[in-house]
Amino acid sequence: MRRGVRSFRQFRYAFQRQECNYSFSLVKCQKVLIDTGYRVTDNADIDKFSCPRFIASRTLTTDAARVSNGDVNGGGPLVEYERRIAAGELVDGDSCQVGTLRELQRLYDELVESAVACKLDRYTASDKSGRSRWLWSRLMPQSSYSPIKGLYLYGGVGTGKTMLMDLFFNQLPVNWRKKRIHFHDFMLNVHSRLQKHKGVADPLEVVAGEISDEAILLCLDEFMVTDVADALILNRLFGHLFNNGVILVATSNRAPDNLYERGLQRDLFLPFIATLKERCVAHEIGSAVDYRKMTSAQHGFYFVGKESSSLLKQKFQQLIGEEKACPQEVEVVMGRTLQVPLGANGCAYFPFEELCDKPLGAADYFGLSNNFHTLALEGVPIFGLHNRTAAYRFVTLVDVIYENRAILLCTAEGSPLELFDRIVTIADAQQMAPRTSTRSRKNDDSDLCVDNELGFAKERTISR
C-alpha cells in the first residue's frame, strides 16, 4: 500500500512539473527583460544586442542534455536556460552564470525530491491561521526546520542575479507554496502585518506563521538592509520562519558578512547573519559583466543640464497626449496618501524635492508605481554629504521603478556617474591621497560622503 501511495505521489509531481513547463512555454512574451541584455517585443521578435559570446557557457550543454534525458529530474532552470539561448531569447552567459545555474538546479532537484517532506503542496498545507498557529505553539512547542538549505546569491550589479532567480522560480510547480517578492515590498508587508497584530505577546511569531502558511519557498530579490527598524527584527522574524520550515532564496549585492555594515546597533544584527549562513548556501556570482549595459534604453530618457527642463516637459506632454495634467492624490499604504503635482494618462510629474527631500519611503514609491506606469522627475542633483538622505531615497525610488517595470524620465545636473561621484565606501576613502605638507585639509572635498551602504548601492542605481 505504501509503495502504491509513493508511486502515485511521484506520478502526480511528475505530471505537475510537466504541466508547469507546458504552461510556461505558452505564455506570450511581452515584458522587457533587461538583466541579461535582451528585449522581447509584443510580436515576439527578438532584438539582439552585440556582446561577446562566452565559450565557457557551452559547458552547460552537457549538463542540460543530461537533465533532459532524465538523469536528474527532467526539468528545471538548466534546461530552460539552454532552451532560451537556443531560441535566441538570451545571450550566452559567462561561466559565473553557469556555476550559479548549477546551484539553482541542485536546489530545484532537492526540492522536487523532498516536496512532501517540505510540505510545499499548498493543498496539503495547514488550515490554521497565523494567530491559531501561535496559540497552538504555546501549548505544544515544536521545531520543523526544512531538511533543505536555501540559497543566497550575491555579486556585482547587472550580473543576472534576478533573472536567474526568476528563471528558477518560474520552473517550480504552480501548486507549491512559493512567493517571489522584492525585499523592500516584503518588509513593508511585514510591518503592515505587525500593525494588525498589535497587542499579541509575540506579533513577530504570528506574522511568521502567516507568511509560512502562504509560502514555504520564499524568494527575496535585492536583499539590502539599511533601516535600523528592519535590522532589529530580522533575526527573530527569520528565526520563526526557518523554525516553520521556510526555505529562503535571495539575491543581493552584498555578501552575508557585509550586510548592514557599520549600521546602528549592528551587534544586535549579527545573530541574523549567523542564522542566514546556517540556513542558506552562500554563492557568489563573480562575473564582471554588466548585462544591463548591453541593452538600449528605448523607453526612459535622461536629460543632463538644468536647462533641459523644457525637454522633459515636452516629452511628458507627448506621453499624456490630449489629456490635461492636473494635481492628483493616490493611496499608498495603510491609509496614507501621496500628493502628485501633475498626473494624466498613467504618467506622473514630480520635482525632485517633492519625492526625495520629503520623508517618503519605499511604501510611497510602490504606491506611486502601482498608479502610474511613467514617472517624470525634474532636477536630480549631484549627491554628497549635504543631501545623503535624499540620495538614499533616490536609490530606493530607482529600485522600485525598476522592480515594477515602470518608465523613468528625468533631468539631472550630471551623468549617472557624476551624480554619485562624491559618495564613496570606506575602502574607497582609504585609497584617497593622504594629507602631506603640500596637500592640507583645505584641499579635501567638504561634501564627500563616506557611506558603505550607499557606496555599494550607487553602483546598482547607476547601472539601472
Side-chain angles (χ1 to χ4, degrees):
M1 181 65 180
R2 289 181 179 176
R3 185 178 301 172
V5 172
R6 189 181 303 115
S7 299
F8 173 74
R9 284 174 176 168
Q10 290 172 347
F11 170 78
R12 184 180 66 171
Y13 279 107
F15 177 77
Q16 288 165 349
R17 291 198 304 275
Q18 187 179 33
E19 182 183 40
C20 180
N21 288 335
Y22 285 156
S23 63
F24 182 79
S25 64
L26 291 173
V27 175
K28 184 179 179 182
C29 294
Q30 292 180 321
K31 66 180 179 179
V32 178
L33 299 173
I34 57 180
D35 273 350
T36 53
Y38 69 95
R39 179 175 182 270
V40 183
T41 64
D42 290 339
N43 297 323
D45 297 324
I46 309 301
D47 295 332
K48 298 178 183 176
F49 301 95
S50 58
C51 66
R53 299 180 69 84
F54 297 89
I55 297 175
S57 68
R58 293 294 89 212
T59 60
L60 178 63
T61 306
T62 303
D63 294 335
R66 179 164 53 82
V67 172
S68 299
N69 291 333
D71 291 345
V72 184
N73 278 308
L78 270 172
V79 174
E80 177 61 18
Y81 183 80
E82 189 72 4
R83 184 199 68 76
R84 292 189 188 185
I85 289 177
E89 297 173 14
L90 290 178
V91 298
D92 276 359
D94 54 21
S95 58
C96 297
Q97 280 196 352
V98 174
T100 304
L101 274 166
R102 290 197 182 104
E103 284 294 319
L104 288 166
Q105 182 68 44
R106 174 194 58 76
L107 178 58
Y108 173 90
D109 295 337
E110 290 179 358
L111 289 171
V112 169
E113 190 170 336
S114 304
V116 174
C118 294
K119 301 178 182 177
L120 284 163
D121 192 333
R122 68 161 58 98
Y123 300 114
T124 61
S126 169
D127 58 357
K128 295 185 180 69
S129 68
R131 188 164 293 202
S132 297
R133 177 193 293 271
W134 176 80
L135 291 171
W136 187 256
S137 68
R138 300 276 74 78
L139 297 172
M140 297 185 64
Q142 57 182 341
S143 175
S144 56
Y145 285 106
S146 170
I148 295 174
K149 287 189 175 185
L151 190 59
Y152 182 93
L153 304 176
Y154 67 98
V157 298
T159 53
K161 298 182 295 295
T162 298
M163 183 278 295
L164 294 173
M165 184 180 75
D166 286 347
L167 190 150
F168 160 80
F169 183 83
N170 289 327
Q171 294 305 298
L172 299 170
V174 293
N175 64 306
W176 279 10
R177 288 192 287 161
K178 59 176 183 172
K179 187 179 187 68
R180 188 270 190 211
I181 189 171
H182 192 278
F183 182 72
H184 281 317
D185 208 5
F186 173 73
M187 292 309 300
L188 287 172
N189 182 267
V190 168
H191 288 294
S192 178
R193 291 175 190 254
L194 287 173
Q195 284 288 113
K196 186 175 69 173
H197 295 297
K198 270 186 174 180
V200 176
D202 189 352
L204 270 176
E205 186 173 2
V206 178
V207 170
E210 290 179 345
I211 294 172
S212 55
D213 277 342
E214 297 166 5
I216 284 294
L217 181 63
L218 184 61
C219 295
L220 297 181
D221 192 29
E222 298 293 357
F223 204 110
M224 182 181 72
V225 186
T226 58
D227 185 84
V228 64
D230 292 345
L232 294 179
I233 68 171
L234 277 175
N235 185 50
R236 288 180 54 234
L237 173 65
F238 275 89
H240 291 311
L241 287 173
F242 290 139
N243 190 58
N244 292 341
V246 167
I247 303 161
L248 175 67
V249 178
T251 69
S252 179
N253 293 134
R254 308 296 301 274
D257 288 327
N258 295 334
L259 286 171
Y260 197 52
E261 193 170 26
R262 296 182 179 269
L264 291 173
Q265 296 181 289
R266 189 173 187 260
D267 55 320
L268 300 178
F269 179 77
L270 293 178
F272 169 71
I273 295 177
T275 302
L276 182 66
K277 291 163 72 174
E278 179 186 348
R279 296 306 310 162
C280 293
V281 175
H283 177 81
E284 181 180 10
I285 305 180
S287 176
V289 180
D290 185 345
Y291 289 95
R292 281 195 285 257
K293 292 182 180 178
M294 295 178 182
T295 68
S296 60
Q298 297 184 12
H299 296 298
F301 289 86
Y302 188 101
F303 302 104
V304 178
K306 294 181 179 179
E307 69 283 353
S308 57
S309 174
S310 59
L311 293 174
L312 181 66
K313 291 176 180 175
Q314 180 183 346
K315 190 65 184 176
F316 179 77
Q317 192 61 47
Q318 289 174 3
L319 291 172
I320 65 174
E322 296 181 358
E323 290 197 25
K324 183 178 179 181
C326 60
Q328 297 185 17
E329 183 179 79
V330 296
E331 186 174 347
V332 284
V333 66
M334 290 186 284
R336 288 174 53 194
T337 59
L338 179 66
Q339 302 298 321
V340 180
L342 290 174
N345 197 26
C347 302
Y349 194 104
F350 278 87
F352 177 85
E353 297 79 10
E354 292 291 317
L355 271 187
C356 298
D357 274 345
K358 290 187 175 181
L360 302 177
D364 304 285
Y365 303 148
F366 271 109
L368 189 64
S369 295
N370 289 335
N371 287 275
F372 299 95
H373 56 70
T374 300
L375 171 65
L377 188 64
E378 182 181 349
V380 182
I382 300 290
F383 297 114
L385 185 62
H386 75 286
N387 59 357
R388 178 174 64 175
T389 303
Y392 265 108
R393 293 195 186 105
F394 181 69
V395 166
T396 301
L397 175 64
V398 172
D399 281 344
V400 172
I401 290 173
Y402 180 83
E403 176 68 16
N404 285 275
R405 301 284 195 265
I407 298 170
L408 175 65
L409 319 174
C410 70
T411 63
E413 291 184 6
S415 69
L417 281 170
E418 291 170 337
L419 293 185
F420 290 94
D421 192 48
R422 295 174 185 164
I423 307 291
V424 298
T425 63
I426 294 172
D428 293 333
Q430 290 173 342
Q431 292 177 3
M432 293 180 176
R435 295 190 186 97
T436 63
S437 57
T438 58
R439 184 184 179 277
S440 62
R441 183 183 294 270
K442 68 180 181 180
N443 298 117
D444 290 345
D445 186 348
S446 60
D447 200 31
L448 187 71
C449 177
V450 181
D451 188 310
N452 255 14
E453 287 298 332
L454 196 55
F456 276 97
K458 76 172 186 179
E459 299 298 335
R460 183 176 70 254
T461 305
I462 291 168
S463 174
R464 289 177 166 181

